[in-house]
Amino acid sequence: MLSSDQEDLRLLRESARTLFERAGGSGRARKLRDASGGWDSDMIGELAGAGVFGVTVPEANGGLGMGLAAGGVIAEEVGRVIAPEPVVLTIGLSLGLLRRLRPDHPKMEQLINGETTLAVAWQERGPGGAPADATCRYADGKLTGSKAWVVGAAGSHGFLVVAGGQNGPVLVLTEATADGLSVDKRVQADGSSLGELSFSGTPAEQLAEGSAVQDALAEAISDVTALAAAELVGLSDRAFEITLDYIKTREQFDKPIGSFQVIQHRAVDLNVMLEVAQACVREVLAQMDCETVPKIRARLASRAKARAVTAAKKITRDAIQLHGAVGYTDEFDIGLYLNRALVLSAWLGDDVYHRRIWLDAREEEGVAQ
Amino acid sequence: MTDWNAMSDAEFRKEVHQFFETEYPEELRHLPHRPKFAEIEHWHRKLHTKGWVAPAWPAEYGGMGLNAAKLLIFYEEQQRGGVNRGRDMGVQMVGPLIIKFGTQKQKDYWLPRILSCEDIWCQGYSEPGAGSDLANLRTRAEIDGDDFVINGQKIWTTMAHDASHIFMLVRTDPNAPKKQQGISFLLAPMDQPGVDVRTITTLSGETEFCEVFFDNARTPRENLVGELNKGWSMAKALLSFERIFIGSPSLAQNALGQLESFARGRGAYDDPVFRDRFAQAALDVEDHAALYARFADQLKRGETLGADVSMLKIWVTECFQRITELMIEAAGPDGGTVGPLQVGNVSVDVLASFYKARPTTIYGGSNEIQRNILSKAVLGLPD
Ligand SMILES: Cc1cc2nc3c(=O)[nH]c(=O)nc-3n(C[C@H](O)[C@H](O)[C@H](O)COP(=O)(O)OP(=O)(O)OC[C@H]3O[C@@H](n4cnc5c(N)ncnc54)[C@H](O)[C@@H]3O)c2cc1C
């Protein structure tokens, strides 16, 4: 399968970090949030220029063919500067679906080139507000029904929608400006939004149908889940750095607060938590590149997300505590990291959810014996 | 004047419950933010007419004169009904201090104005360099004729942008041999040219706290409470009162109730893993209440509370935080969504609770500081 060696990954990390830092680091995320809560389309172009979106797409289909391990490197860098661009979404989900189902489709190239962004609408909301079975229908070229929790709905040019068709599930493409489509935005902690889409006879183009759609969706979800875990690891890494700097410099009782043993131990615990998460997620991504059985890939992805969310929760919460009141302000960046962690943790399932999935999968595979 | 303490607990609870149930404006129940006074003024007037603004103050000063047991019931019902505490820094913090250390003239002047909210107070203790190490404060007050002249800066001053007065700790003797000496407790009007208030936005986008700058601000000498240079021990006496107050079960109880109805509506409640964690949280709250009652009894017997009261705050604030994490968990894919989440006919603002829980382990003496206190003053561990 696709894989890249450590040296390639190191170089990729370096260039991604330089690109994001030159663009303004986390300060850029703050500016964008304050401006509109969206992302910067010039940045999408720059990222595309660096090959970011096609990183896991085979070379034959216009990508870099570097595998998920490389996707994870980019995701970590996105996390470090809490970049609002839909990088993980595009690599993992939009291209994850298209490259499996329709590598020939012109949208592939447009996504890789950064000319377009497509959000993926695959979940639906049930009566209690929780996820429910799909009822959104596609017939005679038109979509009817609704979809929930669509990440990137606000800025995307169109949607890849998973719906029920005449011969089983279908993947269809609809433009953001299509007739009969309305998008209800729900603001997230980090200023981004989730879209609740409703379709009433919305024209859409069918891209694929049948069980292949379900299979590709499951695989793409495994990919994007593991990449979201990597984004959380990058986020936690930077949140920890910021905190470490702070406790070294903030003085109370005539000493840096980092000289108090309690604080030192807390910092060490967070660091251990971070290193475990980073090791786990990087290992998972490398294994997923070599693994072909979808169920095992799904289990691996759950392992990564469970660990990354656990670590990010602990690190961002403790980071606020160690900052004291300044940590509770918007002025200090650490709060941006907490807010982004809230959003990334809830996306695609939190730690509790993934621990459950992981255990179920493990039993099913008979790993326990 | 009703002698509330003579009532049975059950009778008293019923009376309080009924009042909050029928009189409290529905649109103000479980407010997710700290209101400005104007928003709750109408309610405050009702409470004032009823004579219920200051449940803990002695009746002779216009309070309800509740003993500890009744006070506990009062706060429980207040929380249960989602009744906003209002702008209560005057009632909770300055009032008790004036009652304890103020002159008759100060009592006669300030206390009625606190009750009527003619004056609205904020607490000016913390400074950029004086957080956990409060005694490090530098804001100066110098005597000039009949006034004190104040120079310096306070920070994290909750609702200072909606306050008419500030009670503050200031340095009146910079040459005192110890940091804790040479600090005085002063009252000052905010509405004057030498006072500049700038709001600070919190990470949830609220403007709850402020920076307050003093540039030759003035306050009459008679606004010194207690003795000059003796402010530290007075403020500390008040802090132990604050500690039982923020150590009370109410915030956690309230959050637990919200968690339960939310989780039932969302279906999380049927999940065995969630149930175990919910039961853990529920028992953490219930058992904390048992410990709280022990301290409350101590107060009821007229004893002063020791340093061990800190354990209430540690337990309940951390429990509150865990409960709000469970809310986020129960919200699943909505766990990062801002604003009220609707389930059936209940609506719960999950992130508002989460944000509210975060600073409870920071303010009122951070939980690390509380642990330092317990390890030294209670466990007697060496330095
Ligand atoms: C929402 C909110 C409202 C507030 N409202 C007010 C108000 O109205 N008026 C007012 O005067 N103040 C107010 N405060 C300020 C509050 O009292 C301070 O935040 C608090 O005293 C902690 O100080 P600090 O924020 O400077 O943190 P620091 O003292 O800098 O502490 C940073 C971290 O170091 C830890 N630490 C510090 N010293 C030690 C030690 N010796 N051992 C171990 N750990 C240590 C702390 O626990 C914390 O985790 C408010 C704060 C918040 C968050």
Side-chain angles (χ1 to χ4, degrees), chain A residues 149 250 252 317 321 330 339, chain B residues 128 133 201 325 334 336 355 361:
Chain A
W149 302 295
R250 166 68 172 167
Q252 284 291 273
R317 273 56 157 185
Q321 181 68 21
D330 182 53
N339 282 330
Chain B
D133 185 11
T201 306
E325 296 285 359
D334 291 316
Y355 289 126
T361 51

Side-chain angles (χ1 to χ4, degrees), chain A residues 246-247 250-253 257 260 262-263 266 320-326 328, chain B residues 34 89 122-128 130-134 154-159 202 208-209 359-369 372:
Chain A
Y246 189 77
I247 63 176
R250 166 68 172 167
E251 289 190 8
Q252 284 291 273
F253 306 99
I257 56 175
F260 301 124
V262 200
I263 304 283
R266 288 275 279 278
I320 302 296
Q321 181 68 21
L322 293 176
H323 275 77
V326 292
Y328 196 60
Chain B
R34 248 181 234 269
M89 290 227 174
C122 62
Q123 178 197 25
Y125 287 6
S126 307
E127 297 180 10
S132 297
D133 185 11
L134 183 58
K154 295 292 175 183
I155 195 167
W156 318 125
T157 326
T158 299
M159 298 305 278
T202 67
E208 285 188 3
F209 51 28
T360 60
T361 51
I362 297 172
Y363 61 58
S366 78
N367 285 22
E368 287 75 25
I369 295 298
N372 287 348

